[in-house]
Amino acid sequence: VSFTFGTALLVCVVVDIVFDNVTVRGFRLSNAALPVATAATVLTMLYGARLAFVFSLFISVLVSVVLSPRISLIVMYLFGSMTGAIVTAPARKRSDLLRSAAWIGGVQSFVVISIGLILGRPLTAIYVDAISAIVSGLLSALLVPVILIPVETISRRTSSFRLLDLA
């Protein structure tokens, strides 16, 4: 579990560094693009949704406090992680991760838009955060298979993806 926690934090820091230096036609993603839900998704696949729920609270607060201390991002990371845990629990094949990505991105963008409107943030900032939240959902689903392989090896646990590959 601690390896997954550390890996998720490392991935978030690397993504934050990359996104700080990347600009496409003047558009720059915000810290809402950090794939925090990846950790909860991986933990759900190996240990179950209960542990992922507890873990998502800690990682959401930690990543938000360390990298971007905004209440909207803490809530977004928390809801995205919990959504990832719920939607990924019945996943039995790799294509189910696309459904998971859509749900995570959708819930996170809804949370960011709602809190942004409640707090009266400028619409351009809300737009950037909403796009970044959708990117976060996609990144979370793309990083799960990459992180899952070493975590399975180190923890000596088997996910449904590994069983499908062995069949």
Side-chain angles (χ1 to χ4, degrees), residues 44 47-55 85:
T44 299
Y47 299 102
R50 289 182 183 167
L51 181 64
F53 268 98
V54 173
F55 180 75

Side-chain angles (χ1 to χ4, degrees), residues 4-18:
T4 306
F5 189 79
T7 304
L9 194 56
L10 179 66
V11 166
C12 288
V13 169
V14 169
V15 169
D16 185 45
I17 291 169
V18 169

Side-chain angles (χ1 to χ4, degrees), residues 58-138:
F58 291 122
I59 190 89
S60 299
V61 171
L62 181 67
V63 168
S64 185
V65 167
V66 170
L67 297 176
S68 58
R70 288 188 1 219
I71 189 69
S72 61
L73 292 184
I74 292 174
V75 175
M76 184 205 77
Y77 294 147
L78 183 62
F79 274 86
S81 295
M82 289 182 173
T83 302
I86 291 169
V87 174
T88 308
R92 297 291 173 244
K93 51 189 177 189
R94 295 186 195 278
S95 62
D96 291 342
L97 289 177
L98 294 176
R99 180 176 43 96
S100 160
W103 274 102
I104 292 169
V107 166
Q108 288 185 151
S109 63
F110 176 76
V111 168
V112 165
I113 290 170
S114 300
I115 293 177
L117 291 174
I118 290 170
L119 296 178
R121 294 190 63 218
L123 289 179
T124 54
I126 294 173
Y127 173 74
V128 169
D129 280 348
I131 297 296
S132 298
I134 292 170
V135 169
S136 171
L138 293 173

